[in-house]
């Protein structure tokens, strides 16, 4: 696969993640009151919460510092991508990670906090971007360790 094809796939995955993330967050903000809890399945709830920190609310209230750290992480991911662009399947984890990070960064810049809404037992609330970042990390490990 050429670098152009890899980049196109990366951008398509990232774009799809951003659209899905922002659409679901807008739906939650428009239809669920803050802290309202709706049971979807046993042990799975929708809840409208805001997270001003990073994963699991670490650095809550960090404001501009959190945005700067997130932007630096995005820059590091892009640098990694450019140096590994010919590695097979690198477009998938990179697209998931870029889209997830960008989706949450959009919230931070616009609202000062990220909208989270999926709540599982004994787990902090999360959103589509968070799920894509988690899957992206697992896919990146697979690509780096297993795919040649």
């Amino acid at each position: 696969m050429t670098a152009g094809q890899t980049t196109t796939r990366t951008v398509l995955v990232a774009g799809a993640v951003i659209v899905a993330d922002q659409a679901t967050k807008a739906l939650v903000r428009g239809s669920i009151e803050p802290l309202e809890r709706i049971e979807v399945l046993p042990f799975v709830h929708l809840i409208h919460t805001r997270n001003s920190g990073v994963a699991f609310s670490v650095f809550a209230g960090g404001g501009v510092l959190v945005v700067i750290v997130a932007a630096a992480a995005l820059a590091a991911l892009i640098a990694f991508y450019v140096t590994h662009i010919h590695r097979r399947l690198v477009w998938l984890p990179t697209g998931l990670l870029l889209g997830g990070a960008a989706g949450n960064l959009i919230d931070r810049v616009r609202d000062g906090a990220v909208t989270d809404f999926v709540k599982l037992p004994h787990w902090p609330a999360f959103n589509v971007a968070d799920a894509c970042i988690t899957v992206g990390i697992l896919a990146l490990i697979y690509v780096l360790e297993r795919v040649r």
Side-chain angles (χ1 to χ4, degrees):
M1 181 177 308
T2 69
Q5 291 169 319
T6 300
T7 299
T8 299
R9 287 184 179 190
T10 303
V11 169
L12 288 173
V13 169
V17 168
I18 293 168
V19 168
D21 177 63
Q22 291 298 302
T24 55
K25 289 173 180 174
L27 196 66
V28 166
R29 287 190 301 268
S31 60
I32 301 175
E33 294 297 320
L35 302 179
E36 179 183 356
R37 185 180 290 251
I38 299 170
E39 184 174 347
V40 178
L41 296 169
F43 306 110
V44 179
H45 295 89
L46 295 179
I47 183 169
H48 180 177
T49 63
R50 292 172 42 88
N51 176 2
S52 63
V54 291
F56 309 115
S57 296
V58 174
F59 302 122
V64 174
L65 178 62
V66 172
V67 172
I68 291 169
V69 169
L74 275 172
L77 179 60
I78 291 168
F80 162 82
Y81 173 74
V82 168
T83 60
H84 291 81
I85 197 163
H86 294 293
R87 184 176 281 269
R88 204 175 102 208
L89 294 178
V90 73
W91 56 270
L92 181 58
T94 304
L96 290 169
L97 290 164
L98 284 173
N104 281 340
L105 191 57
I106 289 167
D107 280 15
R108 289 183 200 293
V109 170
R110 183 187 57 230
D111 301 329
V114 172
T115 299
D116 288 329
F117 57 89
V118 178
K119 181 69 177 99
L120 303 174
H122 312 294
W123 199 258
F126 61 95
N127 58 46
V128 171
D130 298 334
C132 288
I133 290 168
T134 300
V135 171
I137 290 169
L138 296 173
L140 182 61
I141 292 168
Y142 175 78
V143 166
L144 291 176
E145 295 297 322
R146 300 281 184 211
V147 177
R148 296 287 173 215

